[in-house]
Amino acid sequence: KFKLTIKAGKGGKGKKSSTAAQAAASVKEEEEEERVEVQHAGDWWQAVVQKRSEGRVLIRYEGGVAEDDEWIEESSSRIRAPQPEPVHVWQELEHAWVAAQINKRE
């Protein structure tokens, strides 16, 4: 999926270097992020679930900052699973653009 490079410094005083286990844990966390879409002001926005508590989810809008985080009821119609991204691709045989969708990114 992606390459992980760890640069380790010399031991001793100064900045603490990361271990391979810490780096792997960090990568695993990123892979396990729960992505959702949230409706706000009539549009659907991509977001990531930060926490769950008592039937609510704390979401952070993609590209947003902590002060824009929002608690939403899990059962709310404002939250949904990410939808396939519509795109157009060039079909050489027909010499035309055709509608398609991205179902999975790797």
Side-chain angles (χ1 to χ4, degrees):
K1 291 187 177 184
F2 50 85
K3 187 176 177 181
L4 175 64
T5 305
I6 301 171
K7 186 175 182 180
K10 297 178 183 176
K13 294 184 180 179
K15 196 171 185 179
K16 196 172 187 179
S17 62
S18 296
T19 65
Q22 289 170 326
S26 174
V27 168
K28 187 174 181 181
E29 267 182 36
E30 285 181 25
E31 287 179 351
E32 293 177 0
E33 286 182 336
E34 183 181 356
R35 298 194 172 281
V36 294
E37 290 181 356
V38 178
Q39 190 177 39
H40 179 75
D43 291 318
W44 289 95
W45 297 85
Q46 294 181 355
V48 176
V49 173
Q50 300 291 305
K51 291 182 187 177
R52 292 181 176 275
S53 179
E54 300 176 7
R56 299 183 313 152
V57 291
L58 178 65
I59 61 99
R60 174 162 299 157
Y61 292 99
E62 216 166 270
V65 294
E67 58 195 32
D68 295 330
D69 289 0
E70 179 180 2
W71 283 101
I72 300 175
E73 296 292 326
E74 283 186 277
S75 60
S76 172
S77 61
R78 290 186 52 223
I79 191 168
R80 69 181 185 190
Q83 304 297 299
E85 182 181 338
V87 295
H88 286 86
V89 295
W90 180 255
Q91 191 173 47
E92 190 63 35
L93 293 175
E94 295 181 23
H95 295 285
W97 290 98
V98 295
Q101 65 185 25
I102 298 172
N103 291 322
K104 185 177 180 182
R105 291 180 187 262
E106 292 186 8

